[in-house]
Amino acid sequence: MTEVEIIQKLQRGNEQAFKELVENYQKMVVNTCFGMVHNIEDSEDIAQEVFIEVFRSIHKFRAESKLSTWLYRMAVNRSLNFIRDNKKNKWFQSFEDAVQSKNAELSRITTGDSENPEFELENSQRAILLHEAIDNLPQNQKVAFTLSKYEDLSYQEISAVMDVSVSSVESLLHRAKKNLQKKLYVCYKKKCI
Amino acid sequence: MKCKTLHNKLIFFLEGELPEKEMGLVKTHLSECGTCAAFAEEMRKTLGILEAEKSPAVNPFFYTRLKAKLENQGSEQKQVFWKPALVRVLQPAIFSILLLVGIYIGIKIGQPASTKQYTATLMHNQDIPYLNEMASETIETSLME
């Protein structure tokens, strides 16, 4: 089924078309959300919300942009909303919950090939450090960086998703990398790892 | 090239985004400066995490869970369809009625007893003549019987 056929069938309420749409774009949406929230369970939950929104509002889709662009936009917006809500909830989160979520994140990163636990631990610390550095970027820089690094999108594609010019995307990515480099250098000096 | 200049360009060097001439200069500096080479290696390893995270495993139950969520949300919406009407209209109406009933009961309880009724009872009591049994019959007579 082509993209156009999927959209047309989905607009008529065809369930098989919805299944095919989810299968085709699941990895892309989950990956984008993961780049934003850095947690696989949360990113799957957000991706599900994205597909539910697609199912409910497919009749509004006028094919002025690509379906993937529409999905990327929804994934980014939903992830940003999730991060905003999570920040609010953090004030009310108990210390135990915070520790539990950190441990869960650590164990998620370290599970897998455990032949070299030292290497695994170092990698997990690197991952946490990198996630924190990305999270501290200004919002637009973070979105541009995530789409570029996690999804390998071109400047043109990122500009379509973010609704900004290509030169703006270029500038955002340049600043994002500089900021990231600065944060990683500070951490290297402090011997974080 | 100074170490500070290199630190500003390192990420672009690792990404291969520098012009050829600058790439050469950075390479030369890294081969000469151990501290910068160590930082470059550290940076390369950290940025390498992004590559490893790029393709998370696909959850085979994703669609099943999604479908269940979609159905749940549909039934929840049906259930709560009449709730706004209940909250906006019925709830205030019920509370108003309860308040009015409370006020009515309060007034009834707090009302003083009618004075007319009390006076009538008093008058009725006064009609009965006072009978002093001791005066008409002495205690001796009573004991004799």
Side-chain angles (χ1 to χ4, degrees):
Chain A
M1 239 191 280
T2 63
E3 192 177 280
V4 181
E5 278 176 335
I6 289 177
I7 295 164
Q8 283 172 349
K9 286 190 175 177
L10 203 54
Q11 283 172 338
R12 289 196 293 269
N14 187 321
E15 203 181 298
Q16 187 56 36
F18 182 60
K19 192 177 179 186
E20 202 161 329
L21 175 106
V22 174
E23 278 167 4
N24 290 351
Y25 293 100
Q26 173 190 338
K27 204 173 173 183
M28 179 192 102
V29 176
V30 173
N31 204 24
T32 308
C33 297
F34 181 78
M36 298 293 292
V37 300
H38 312 299
N39 178 297
I40 195 68
E41 286 84 18
D42 290 339
S43 52
E44 280 186 2
D45 284 346
I46 301 166
Q48 286 186 349
E49 293 295 329
V50 169
F51 285 115
I52 289 171
E53 195 179 336
V54 168
F55 186 76
R56 297 236 164 94
S57 57
I58 191 72
H59 58 277
K60 289 181 195 163
F61 183 68
R62 294 276 168 265
E64 284 158 359
S65 60
K66 280 164 72 182
L67 182 63
S68 57
T69 308
W70 194 47
L71 286 168
Y72 275 127
R73 212 174 283 166
M74 277 198 270
V76 167
N77 287 337
R78 289 257 170 191
S79 302
L80 290 175
N81 287 348
F82 175 86
I83 294 165
R84 191 197 55 209
D85 294 345
N86 224 25
K87 262 185 194 167
K88 276 186 206 164
N89 290 341
K90 261 189 183 173
W91 290 99
F92 305 106
Q93 192 183 31
S94 69
F95 178 70
E96 284 81 5
D97 289 345
V99 170
Q100 261 182 0
S101 66
K102 273 278 173 203
N103 284 344
E105 194 182 339
L106 252 174
S107 65
R108 186 190 61 76
I109 297 165
T110 47
T111 48
D113 184 21
S114 56
E115 279 177 15
N116 196 344
E118 229 171 89
F119 174 75
E120 284 285 318
L121 185 69
E122 194 185 301
N123 250 4
S124 67
Q125 284 173 335
R126 266 184 220 291
I128 290 172
L129 172 73
L130 184 68
H131 294 161
E132 275 177 8
I134 294 172
D135 287 342
N136 282 321
L137 291 174
Q139 188 174 293
N140 270 4
Q141 290 179 23
K142 184 182 172 180
V143 173
F145 186 82
T146 303
L147 292 173
S148 165
K149 288 290 155 198
Y150 282 85
E151 279 297 301
D152 288 327
L153 292 194
S154 67
Y155 289 177
Q156 279 83 4
E157 286 168 315
I158 298 172
S159 77
V161 174
M162 294 180 73
D163 211 12
V164 292
S165 66
V166 175
S167 56
S168 299
V169 173
E170 242 174 285
S171 157
L172 282 172
L173 281 173
H174 187 83
R175 279 182 285 149
K177 284 175 189 174
K178 277 207 140 190
N179 281 335
L180 208 62
Q181 181 176 253
K182 216 183 278 176
K183 285 176 186 17
L184 293 178
Y185 182 64
V186 170
C187 205
Y188 174 72
K189 278 275 171 194
K190 284 183 186 169
K191 304 225 177 292
C192 294
I193 299 169
Chain B
M1 184 180 269
K2 286 180 182 173
C3 292
K4 201 179 175 186
T5 319
L6 181 125
H7 292 158
N8 287 331
K9 293 183 175 177
L10 193 56
I11 194 165
F12 302 104
F13 167 77
L14 293 170
E15 302 247 312
E17 290 175 353
L18 287 179
E20 212 171 303
K21 195 184 164 190
E22 284 191 68
M23 288 288 271
L25 286 173
V26 174
K27 265 184 198 168
T28 316
H29 183 93
L30 288 177
S31 61
E32 290 164 357
C33 178
T35 321
C36 286
F39 175 52
E41 182 57 17
E42 198 64 35
M43 188 94 144
R44 192 188 58 74
K45 281 183 185 168
T46 308
L47 291 175
I49 298 285
L50 285 173
E51 287 299 319
E53 284 184 347
K54 242 176 201 174
S55 25
V58 177
N59 184 349
F61 303 108
F62 185 84
Y63 183 72
T64 321
R65 280 179 56 206
L66 172 65
K67 214 166 162 259
K69 207 172 186 176
L70 201 62
E71 280 164 10
N72 275 351
Q73 284 192 359
S75 60
E76 268 174 26
Q77 275 189 343
K78 273 178 201 167
Q79 277 177 359
V80 296
F81 175 73
W82 55 276
K83 265 194 174 175
L86 175 80
V87 173
R88 284 181 199 160
V89 182
L90 284 177
Q91 216 175 43
I94 290 167
F95 282 134
S96 306
I97 291 166
L98 283 174
L99 185 70
L100 288 173
V101 169
I103 291 169
Y104 178 76
I105 292 170
I107 290 169
K108 278 286 162 198
I109 291 172
Q111 215 172 33
S114 170
T115 44
K116 274 183 190 173
Q117 202 183 350
Y118 176 75
T119 328
T121 322
L122 202 68
M123 292 290 284
H124 175 73
N125 286 348
Q126 279 175 350
D127 285 346
I128 303 167
Y130 175 71
L131 182 70
N132 188 356
E133 284 179 357
M134 293 294 284
S136 56
E137 191 180 5
T138 56
I139 193 153
E140 288 82 7
T141 329
S142 172
L143 285 172
M144 289 287 282
E145 284 172 5

